[in-house]
């Protein structure tokens, strides 16, 4: 609930069980000729795509203009040859006088007016059908309908017009109310297919007319292949470009009417053919721009990368293993799931956390850090993570870092070694094989044989470790759910419920409710369902049998449930989970007390040691109260089972610990924000009835991280998470400066329009710092929970309850004595609260007085054209972009989010899109969204953006404050629901295609030499 998890959110066939595939006699890792051809064509497409970047914005306009060129030229020719045209129609076609004049006049007017409408993109449907009508009437009027070349050419022109029609349906700014209706989408895909087929008929006519020669045969063969590829939609863009080149050269060489004498008998025919071919080239350009459409191999490959595409097999004999451009290694192909999106980044974005100046400024007494909880984090990730960790470290220790030498001994290629090291880098950066801030499994690109060969050349221990984790390293056959965290009974991964694949969400919640009534907090526990159907609560502690006065339930450690679904089942407490690690950590906490800077810190260390020794979370809560009271230390640290993001039930914490130094200069700016908080909170969209009676100023510091042992490093923290501590004692806000400022070299920024890119790049760090500061202090730090604190005692006027701004009526719900926000809102709580805090940041950042605190502009009237306006605009643009990037972490199979912060940001994006008056829109010209960008109307942030956010924020806050879980859950699920082809297939597909490697932070490692750190 309290961490802005990393900056990444603003910058996500039958498969043999591993050890199978390549090991079979018929398997091979060598790419087939077809795969090599596909790889080359992919490279060509990427090169063409990059080379065309400068002209991409102009291609649609150029295509539309070229398509109507033949009609404009024809209209001008009729006007300049009016008498000749009348004579031909009367004398040769025997059309009566008068009708000839009407025929020509209607054609001229239709061609001029409809061509103009096509160019300016007004009433395109009427214009296209008008021009098609011209083609048909001229064919009949001039009697050329039975001339094969004329017939094929004009069908091709009609194909170009159909591409204009399809383009008019594709080129729309997206807003929820403007999603294409199903019948429109159906029409569009049929129109695109018909347009592709008709476009290539001109080339068919070219093949069967004229004299044959070597050059003509060569060009015809290339053209025929390109035509077939265009029709079936395989590499359609590249094929269309090839046809554009061939037709353009042919046009200049053969139809060069400007070289003919004015009275040459073929001049008019050459001119007519020249402009007709220009029209067809225009249609092909539109095909290049927007892609082939849904009825195509290219499109099917994006949506179902590992499916058979029989439409193309008669032409190219393609195998059923067509896959996406992000090539899946042979040993990882499967008909059951596309693994390309689960492959480890190649290469990962390795980013060092700069810390030396801040560490060197400390006294010797203040230095030191440790990672004793690493194995707990690994164990909380997946059953195989600890073995993978041991395998990586064993290999590294054996070769002493000389991986190249080890690879040569094991006969492992340089590429395979590179793949392994890339995987190891990401594994160590996430402390497990599931992504931190995403909870999605990632798998190595190297083969199992590579790992086995390296282990075999290392030691028997390495071989045993490989055999222990070999299946867990890769993907379980056909079990897509196991690639994501979630409830075990739903097929997902979660080690918070070890050996309990059949334990249901309902069972977990009922056991949790029972333990809550007993006063047992869940953060340091895991839950195991036994074979008898009873339940063991595993408590992390150094002692397996702590003194009865030292734990949180007294002498009772076992109960039999008497009611509900689990009546008759037994619940038992089992101490000593993670015992070896907890023993070491408890001992180190005791030692650390010797180096405490004050008595408060010493008491805090004692409470840590008590908690980690006995498993008491009441002792841990005491440590957190002391941590809040320890104001302004030079070295800041916190440790324990803190954040509950990875538990599908949202109550059990992941182990983490950090050590960081204070950045005094930036902390001074945050102090000003703390001082301004009492004036800022009343500006939020709720009355004082739903706000704390008194704002207790927290300690708000900017820290530079020395070490952060967890599955990921956040950019900001607001803890402790216990509501009673926050309400009565307070909390601390932390901004992690060197995490905020960490950048990968040459980091790309997809989905930002080129016109915004320079401003966005210059201001994104400042915008994120402002957003983190407000999010942590005023987001998580604001609000009151209406509660019956004890029987008959309330923290609000129960006899005259406050009126809800949502209903205009007195509130009727509130928290009961034993209830907390987390216990009431359950798995929804964390993401819901993050969305609320993000909305607070978006709303209050519109106050220019807050921006001035961070050094952007002066206090005064809002000025969106000022540097402060640049920061605010970038902040809104960043949030909208994060909402788009969030689609990487939404699972279409389960319909669930894998990362709570990104779920929140997607909800805010939807609020932006629904703000009205075109405040926010997703721009694209190509149907496959390959040019998708996010646009925010800067001038409407204060008039449309902020009110839209505040409407969402008010509902989130009031539902939370009044314990109205049913209404809050329904609202939030609707706000963050992903539905429709546009989001599910197109936006998500493009986000995955343009996915930027996740940052892997390189942290400092402290060692002691000669008695000094």
């Amino acid at each position: 609930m309290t961490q802005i998890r990393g900056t990444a959110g603003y910058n996500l066939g039958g498969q043999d069980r591993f050890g199978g595939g390549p090991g079979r006699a018929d398997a091979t890792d060598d790419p087939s000729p077809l795969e090599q051809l596909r790889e080359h064509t992919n490279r060509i497409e990427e090169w063409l795509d990059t080379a065309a970047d400068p002209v991409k914005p102009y291609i649609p306009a150029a295509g539309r203009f070229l398509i109507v060129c033949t009609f404009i030229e024809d209209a001008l020719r009729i006007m300049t040859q009016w008498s000749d045209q009348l004579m031909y129609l009367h004398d040769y076609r025997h059309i009566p006088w008068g009708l000839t004049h009407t025929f020509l006049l209607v054609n001229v007017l239709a061609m001029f007016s409809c061509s103009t409408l096509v160019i300016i993109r007004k009433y395109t449907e009427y214009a296209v059908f008008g021009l098609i009508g011209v083609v048909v009437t001229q064919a009949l009027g001039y009697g050329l309908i039975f001339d094969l070349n004329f017939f094929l050419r004009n069908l091709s022109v009609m194909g170009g017009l159909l591409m204009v029609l399809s383009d008019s349906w594709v080129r729309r700014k997206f807003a929820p109310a403007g999603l294409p209706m199903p019948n429109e989408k159906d029409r569009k895909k049929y129109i695109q297919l018909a347009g592709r087929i008709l476009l290539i008929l001109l080339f068919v006519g070219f093949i069967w007319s004229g004299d044959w020669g070597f050059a003509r045969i060569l060009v015809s063969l290339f053209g025929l292949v390109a035509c077939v590829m265009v029709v079936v939609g395989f590499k359609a863009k590249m094929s269309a470009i090839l046809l554009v080149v061939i037709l353009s050269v042919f046009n200049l060489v053969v139809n060069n009417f400007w070289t003919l004498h004015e009275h040459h008998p073929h001049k008019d025919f050459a001119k007519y053919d020249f402009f007709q071919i220009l029209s067809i080239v225009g249609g092909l350009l539109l095909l290049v721009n927007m892609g082939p459409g849904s009825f195509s191999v290219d499109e099917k490959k994006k949506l179902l990368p590992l499916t058979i595409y029989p439409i193309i097999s008669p032409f190219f004999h393609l195998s059923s293993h067509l896959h996406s451009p992000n090539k899946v290694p042979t040993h990882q192909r499967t008909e059951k799931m596309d693994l390309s999106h689960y492959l480890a980044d190649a290469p990962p974005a390795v980013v060092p956390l700069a810390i030396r100046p801040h560490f060197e400024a400390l006294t010797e007494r203040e230095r030191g850090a440790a990672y004793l909880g690493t194995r707990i984090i690994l164990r909380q990730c997946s059953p195989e993570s600890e073995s993978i960790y041991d395998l990586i470290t064993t290999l590294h220790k054996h070769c002493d870092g000389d991986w190249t030498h080890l690879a040569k001994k094991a006969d492992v290629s340089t590429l395979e070694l590179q793949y392994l090291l890339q995987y190891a880098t990401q594994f160590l950066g996430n402390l497990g094989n599931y992504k931190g801030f995403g909870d999605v499994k990632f798998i190595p690109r190297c083969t199992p044989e590579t790992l086995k060969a390296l282990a075999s050349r290392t030691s028997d221990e390495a071989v045993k470790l490989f055999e222990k984790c070999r299946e867990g390293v890769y993907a379980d056959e056909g079990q897509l759910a196991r690639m994501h965290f979630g409830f075990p009974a739903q097929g997902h991964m979660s080690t918070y419920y070890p050996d309990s694949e059949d334990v249901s969400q309902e069972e977990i919640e009922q056991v949790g409710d029972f333990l809550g009534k007993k006063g047992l907090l869940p953060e340091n526990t895991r839950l195991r369902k036994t074979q008898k159907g009873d339940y063991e609560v595993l408590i992390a502690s150094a002692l397996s049998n702590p003194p009865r006065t030292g734990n949180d339930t007294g002498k009772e450690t076992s109960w039999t449930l008497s009611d509900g679904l689990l009546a008759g089942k037994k619940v038992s407490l089992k101490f000593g989970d993670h015992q070896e690690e907890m023993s070491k950590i408890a001992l180190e906490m005791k030692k650390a007390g010797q180096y405490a800077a004050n008595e408060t810190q010493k008491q805090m260390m004692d409470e840590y040691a008590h908690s980690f020794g006995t498993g008491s979370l009441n002792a841990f809560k005491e440590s957190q109260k002391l941590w809040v009271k320890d104001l302004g230390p030079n070295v800041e640290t916190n440790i324990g089972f803190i954040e509950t993001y990875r538990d599908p039930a949202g109550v059990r914490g992941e182990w983490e610990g950090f050590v960081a130094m204070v950045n005094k200069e930036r902390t001074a700016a945050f102090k000003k924000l703390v001082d301004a908080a009492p004036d800022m909170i009343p500006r939020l969209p709720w009355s004082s009835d739903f706000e704390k009676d008194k704002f207790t100023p927290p300690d708000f510091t900017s820290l530079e991280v020395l070490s952060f042992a967890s599955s990921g490093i956040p950019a900001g923290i607001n803890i402790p998470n216990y509501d009673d501590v926050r309400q009565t004692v307070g909390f601390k806000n932390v901004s992690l400066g060197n995490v905020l400022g960490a950048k990968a070299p040459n980091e790309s920024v997809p989905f930002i329009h080129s016109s915004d890119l320079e401003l966005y790049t210059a201001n994104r760090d400042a915008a994120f710092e402002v957003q983190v500061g407000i999010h942590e202090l005023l987001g998580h730090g604001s609000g009151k929970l209406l509660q019956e604190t004890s029987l008959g005692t309330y923290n609000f006027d129960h006899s005259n309850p406050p009126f809800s701004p949502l209903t205009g009526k007195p509130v009727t719900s509130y928290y009961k004595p034993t209830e907390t926000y987390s216990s009431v809102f359950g798995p929804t709580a964390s993401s819901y609260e993050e969305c609320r805090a993000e909305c607070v940041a978006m709303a209050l950042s519109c106050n220019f007085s807050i921006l001035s605190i961070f050094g952007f502009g002066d206090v005064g009237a809002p000025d969106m054209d000022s540097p402060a306006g640049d920061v605010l605009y970038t902040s809104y643009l960043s949030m909208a972009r994060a909402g788009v990037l969030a689609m990487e972490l939404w699972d279409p199979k389960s319909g669930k989010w894998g990362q709570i912060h990104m779920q929140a940001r997607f909800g805010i994006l939807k609020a932006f899109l629904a703000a009205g008056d075109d405040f926010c829109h997703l721009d694209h010209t190509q149907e496959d969204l390959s040019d998708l960008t996010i646009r925010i109307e800067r001038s409407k942030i204060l008039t449309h953006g902020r009110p839209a956010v505040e409407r969402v924020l008010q509902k989130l806050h009031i539902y939370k404050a009044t314990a109205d879980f049913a209404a809050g859950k329904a609202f939030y699920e609707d706000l963050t629901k992903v539905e429709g082809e546009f989001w599910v297939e197109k936006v998500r597909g493009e986000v995955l295609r343009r996915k930027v490697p996740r940052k892997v932070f390189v942290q400092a490692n402290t060692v002691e030499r000669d008695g000094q750190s």
Side-chain angles (χ1 to χ4, degrees), residues 33-85:
L34 179 62
E35 290 170 335
Q36 292 178 334
L37 174 62
R38 189 180 303 115
E39 195 168 322
H40 290 312
T41 56
N42 285 337
R43 290 200 192 104
I44 293 172
E45 282 187 328
E46 289 174 4
W47 179 84
L48 288 172
D49 197 50
T50 302
D53 275 344
V55 297
K56 271 184 181 178
Y58 311 105
I59 288 177
R64 292 193 305 273
F65 176 75
L66 290 177
I67 283 174
V68 299
C69 272
T70 187
F71 296 101
I72 296 173
E73 185 276 333
D74 201 24
L76 292 173
R77 183 165 49 83
I78 289 175
M79 292 174 62
T80 57
Q81 299 176 359
W82 187 264
S83 298
D84 293 339
Q85 297 288 332

Side-chain angles (χ1 to χ4, degrees), residues 358-377:
H358 303 281
F359 183 74
E360 291 179 344
L362 299 176
T363 65
E364 188 60 35
R365 184 180 178 85
E366 294 171 326
R367 296 181 180 183
Y371 298 88
L372 289 176
T374 295
R375 290 187 179 276
I376 301 176
I377 301 166

Side-chain angles (χ1 to χ4, degrees), residues 73 250-264 266-276 278:
E73 185 276 333
F250 172 82
N251 218 15
L252 292 172
V253 173
V254 177
N255 295 327
N256 50 356
F257 64 89
W258 56 88
T259 65
L260 300 177
H261 189 272
E262 184 178 353
H263 300 294
H264 194 286
H266 294 295
K267 185 178 182 72
D268 278 348
F269 292 104
K271 184 188 290 188
Y272 178 75
D273 289 347
F274 180 86
F275 284 100
Q276 277 214 320
L278 278 188

Side-chain angles (χ1 to χ4, degrees), residues 921-961:
H921 47 262
L922 306 184
D923 270 359
H924 62 93
T925 62
Q926 302 197 45
E927 187 182 11
D928 63 359
L929 307 192
S930 57
D931 62 344
L932 178 68
T933 56
I934 303 147
R935 306 307 299 269
I936 292 282
E937 295 300 326
R938 179 172 179 151
S939 62
K940 298 176 182 176
I941 289 177
L942 301 180
T943 59
H944 293 73
R946 180 175 186 170
V949 170
E950 288 180 334
R951 286 191 291 272
V952 171
L953 174 58
Q954 186 181 68
K955 291 183 178 180
L956 291 172
H957 181 74
I958 298 302
Y959 294 143
K960 176 189 175 184

Side-chain angles (χ1 to χ4, degrees), residues 313-334:
S313 57
F315 303 104
F316 297 99
H317 307 289
L318 294 185
S319 74
S320 62
H321 291 293
L322 284 174
H323 50 77
S324 64
N326 188 5
K327 185 179 176 184
V328 183
T330 307
H331 67 283
Q332 291 172 14
R333 293 183 197 149
T334 172

